[in-house]
């Protein structure tokens, strides 16, 4: 075993056994990734090291030569016993929060310890005009295979016209598809090629089935129950009943975003019906508050992994959602309708599909002007080794509520929310990764 399994620095009196000679190589920060909190003057940052430094921290400031602000790591975690994997792949995962940030300001930062610091990275905080505009990128189901073109497209956008944040709606890395000794290698590889993006743009996630399952009994003790997911990511779920990264919400300009666990914590949930807390009570409370605040934050968007409405085999029988989709529908759709959710974004199905506004299995309109019900979007086309859904997996003919569907290439979405003169507009686009063409 590593010297300690879970260590909460500054939050408990647990003894911490740091590496006595933490070399630069073994304490070099890796896998740097940013995340939003619920506070516009904060930015969370996470990274990993092979060994555990005595003290880890983040420094930041208005220029690379003037980084005088400093915050200690608040949580450090490790979850892999040495006996179960190659010990050179085991990592300690560090989480810190930069506070007191100014609106609309570019900051430079480094993470690390007295043993050594990372390269200098930068990010920009939420702009002063954020109450009127927000733009983000969204996809699900992205691993280390068949994802290079998606990563290339998103990295180019991050460098040239950065989105406010990126939303990855479950199935991250697909490490559970590999034998036990490769589980950590795949996670680490995924973070390595994502770092040029995740170190500069907040990278938000929700859990998927691949964050729970395991394909090799030797990896199951540390692969199941979303262990890697909750150790590696630091979403603002500490303010919700999950107390981790399973479900959460935040405001960004005109958007109230809710990230759900479609895997756990509702009746007949596909993985575990009760594991992290009372998700549905929290969801209704959060939706009620968001609905009451619509004059300030007009769009309510929800994201999770599994779909309610997807016209594919295993999810729809030609009339109604079935199996896991039906269970999720029963748990949340009535709340989506009551509090007028604008859209529900999911992955899981390795294709793209956009619906018309739907209520209780019926399209309420073929227009998107002041819709009476949510629009449902599937984009499980980030790129992975399991491949795209084949044509014979579509339900044909397509149901009346299905407006557009596509399965010929991997791709990503941009979501652009604007408010002007008391009118709001939500602009959704889907681009193919291979040729970067607008497909929907």
């Amino acid at each position: 075993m590593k010297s300690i399994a879970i260590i909460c620095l500054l939050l408990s009196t647990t003894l911490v056994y740091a590496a006595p000679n933490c070399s630069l190589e073994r304490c070099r920060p890796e896998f740097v990734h940013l995340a939003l909190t619920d506070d516009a003057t904060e930015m969370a940052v996470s990274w990993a090291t092979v060994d555990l430094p005595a003290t880890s921290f983040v420094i930041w400031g208005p220029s690379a030569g003037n980084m005088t602000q400093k915050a200690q790591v608040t949580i450090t975690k490790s979850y892999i016993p040495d006996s179960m994997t190659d010990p050179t792949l085991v990592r300690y995962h560090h989480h810190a929060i930069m506070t007191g940030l100014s609106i609309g300001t570019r900051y430079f930062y480094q993470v690390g310890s007295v043993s050594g610091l990372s390269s200098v990275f930068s990010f920009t905080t939420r702009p002063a005009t954020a109450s009127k505009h927000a733009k983000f990128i969204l996809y699900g189901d992205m691993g280390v295979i068949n994802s290079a073109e998606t990563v290339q497209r998103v990295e180019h956008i991050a460098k040239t016209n950065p989105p406010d944040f990126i939303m990855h709606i479950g199935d991250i890395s697909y490490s559970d598809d590999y034998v036990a000794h490769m589980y950590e290698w795949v996670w680490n590889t995924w973070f390595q090629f994502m770092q040029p993006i995740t170190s500069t743009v907040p990278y938000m996630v929700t859990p998927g089935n691949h964050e729970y399952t395991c394909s090799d009994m030797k990896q199951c003790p540390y692969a199941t129950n979303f262990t890697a997911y909750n150790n590696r990511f630091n979403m603002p779920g500490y303010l919700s009943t999950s107390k981790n990264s399973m479900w959460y919400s935040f405001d960004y300009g005109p958007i109230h975003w809710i990230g759900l666990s479609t895997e756990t914590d509702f009746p007949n949930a596909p993985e575990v019906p009760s594991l992290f807390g009372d998700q549905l009570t929290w969801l209704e409370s959060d939706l009620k508050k968001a609905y009451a605040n619509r004059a300030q934050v007009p769009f309510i968007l929800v994201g999770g992994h599994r779909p309610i409405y997807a016209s594919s085999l295993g999810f729809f029988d030609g009339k109604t959602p079935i199996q896991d989709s039906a269970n999720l529908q029963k748990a949340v759709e009535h709340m989506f309708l009551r509090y007028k959710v604008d859209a529900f974004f999911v992955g899981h199905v390795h294709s793209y599909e956009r619906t018309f506004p739907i209520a209780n299995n019926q399209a309420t309109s073929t227009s998107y002007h002041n819709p009476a019900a949510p629009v449902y979007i599937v984009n499980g086309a980030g790129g992975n080794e399991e491949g795209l859904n084949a044509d014979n997996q579509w339900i044909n003919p397509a149901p009346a509520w299905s407006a557009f569907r596509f399965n010929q290439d991997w791709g990503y979405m941009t979501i652009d929310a604007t408010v002007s003169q008391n009118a709001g507009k939500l602009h959704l686009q889907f681009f193919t990764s291979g040729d970067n063409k607008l497909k929907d």
Side-chain angles (χ1 to χ4, degrees):
M1 296 286 289
K2 278 288 179 184
S3 55
I4 196 160
I6 299 178
I7 303 156
C8 297
L9 304 182
L10 306 183
L11 298 181
S12 75
T13 57
T14 304
L15 283 176
V16 176
Y17 297 96
N21 296 301
C22 194
S23 66
L24 174 60
E25 185 62 31
R26 294 187 64 80
C27 281
R28 184 189 307 277
E30 304 174 287
F31 322 148
V32 180
H33 52 288
L34 298 169
L36 299 170
T37 76
D38 70 322
D39 188 332
T41 67
E42 295 179 347
M43 184 69 76
V45 61
S46 304
W47 67 96
T49 56
V50 176
D51 278 335
L52 179 63
T55 303
S56 296
F57 52 83
V58 55
I59 58 174
W60 71 93
S63 69
N66 184 22
M67 295 184 290
T68 59
Q69 300 296 307
K70 182 177 181 180
Q72 301 289 335
V73 160
T74 55
I75 301 175
T76 294
K77 302 178 181 180
S78 183
Y79 58 92
I80 305 293
D82 286 346
S83 60
M84 292 187 179
T85 190
D86 181 347
T88 64
L89 300 176
V90 177
R91 296 293 189 274
Y92 287 93
H93 302 282
H94 312 277
H95 306 287
I97 297 179
M98 292 173 272
T99 61
L101 306 177
S102 298
I103 296 297
T105 302
R106 186 181 184 189
Y107 285 93
F108 295 79
Y109 74 98
Q110 288 178 287
V111 299
S113 66
V114 293
S115 298
L117 295 171
S118 68
S119 301
V120 176
F121 304 108
S122 69
F123 64 89
T124 301
T125 56
R126 307 179 204 196
T129 57
S131 61
K132 299 185 182 299
H133 178 249
K135 183 177 182 178
F136 66 99
I137 290 173
L138 181 142
Y139 48 78
D141 302 75
M142 190 173 77
V144 297
I145 304 295
N146 290 328
S147 58
E149 290 177 332
T150 303
V151 174
Q152 178 185 359
R153 304 302 181 190
V154 174
E155 184 176 349
H156 177 74
I157 296 171
K159 290 179 177 179
T160 58
N161 185 24
D164 295 311
F165 57 94
I166 296 169
M167 186 62 63
H168 188 152
I169 45 177
D171 284 4
I172 309 160
S173 88
Y174 282 74
S175 58
D176 66 313
D177 275 356
Y178 300 81
V179 295
H181 71 277
M182 292 187 67
Y183 182 83
E184 284 294 281
W185 181 87
V186 174
W187 264 117
N188 294 345
T189 298
W190 185 88
F191 270 103
Q192 281 178 331
F193 70 66
M194 291 300 292
Q195 182 173 280
I197 300 169
T198 62
S199 59
T200 59
V201 177
Y203 201 87
M204 310 303 288
V205 294
T206 63
N209 55 292
H210 281 275
E211 282 69 74
Y212 175 84
T213 56
C214 59
S215 59
D216 185 324
M217 289 302 296
K218 292 181 180 179
Q219 74 181 218
C220 289
Y222 53 86
T224 56
N225 294 335
F226 306 92
T227 301
Y229 172 84
N230 279 314
N231 276 263
R232 288 174 175 268
F233 293 103
N234 187 27
M235 298 297 102
Y238 54 86
L239 295 172
S240 77
T241 51
S242 78
K243 304 302 180 186
N244 51 35
S245 296
M246 298 301 291
W247 57 85
Y248 59 89
S249 67
F250 61 86
D251 290 339
Y252 200 112
I255 294 172
H256 180 74
W257 176 269
I258 299 173
L260 293 183
S261 169
T262 62
E263 312 306 301
T264 66
D265 298 287
F266 62 89
N268 299 308
E271 307 299 358
V272 187
S274 180
L275 184 61
F276 295 103
D278 189 346
Q279 178 175 209
L280 296 185
T281 298
W282 170 83
L283 174 60
E284 178 138 33
S285 174
D286 192 81
L287 282 169
K288 186 175 182 179
K289 292 175 184 175
Y291 183 75
N293 193 41
R294 273 210 131 120
Q296 300 300 317
V297 184
F299 295 108
I300 301 176
L301 307 182
V302 183
H305 183 60
R306 295 179 191 249
I308 294 176
Y309 295 105
S311 62
S312 297
L313 292 174
F315 305 95
F316 182 69
D317 65 2
K319 294 182 179 180
T320 63
I322 60 173
Q323 301 176 19
D324 292 332
S325 293
N327 293 330
L328 183 61
Q329 179 186 37
K330 184 177 180 180
V332 302
E333 187 181 27
H334 64 285
M335 288 188 269
F336 290 179
L337 293 170
R338 180 182 306 147
Y339 298 106
K340 301 187 183 303
V341 167
D342 294 290
F344 183 41
F345 298 89
V346 299
H348 197 54
V349 184
H350 298 170
S351 56
Y352 171 81
E353 185 167 16
R354 169 177 51 83
T355 75
F356 294 116
I358 307 176
N360 301 316
N361 309 317
Q362 299 293 325
T364 61
S365 172
T366 57
S367 169
Y368 297 98
H369 182 70
N370 293 329
V375 174
Y376 292 80
I377 303 291
V378 176
N379 183 21
N384 59 73
E385 65 272 19
E386 295 181 358
L388 288 159
N389 271 27
D391 286 343
N392 63 8
Q393 292 177 286
W394 293 122
I395 296 290
N396 287 307
W401 46 254
S402 182
F404 180 81
R405 54 191 194 178
F406 177 78
N407 66 340
Q408 299 305 304
D409 195 4
W410 306 105
Y412 65 94
M413 291 187 72
T414 61
I415 294 91
D416 201 327
T418 57
V419 176
S420 60
Q421 297 179 346
N422 298 320
K425 180 180 180 181
L426 197 62
H427 190 205
L428 314 180
Q429 294 180 302
F430 175 77
F431 296 87
T432 51
S433 296
D435 54 17
N436 207 34
K437 288 186 177 180
L438 177 63
K439 187 59 64 173
D440 184 37

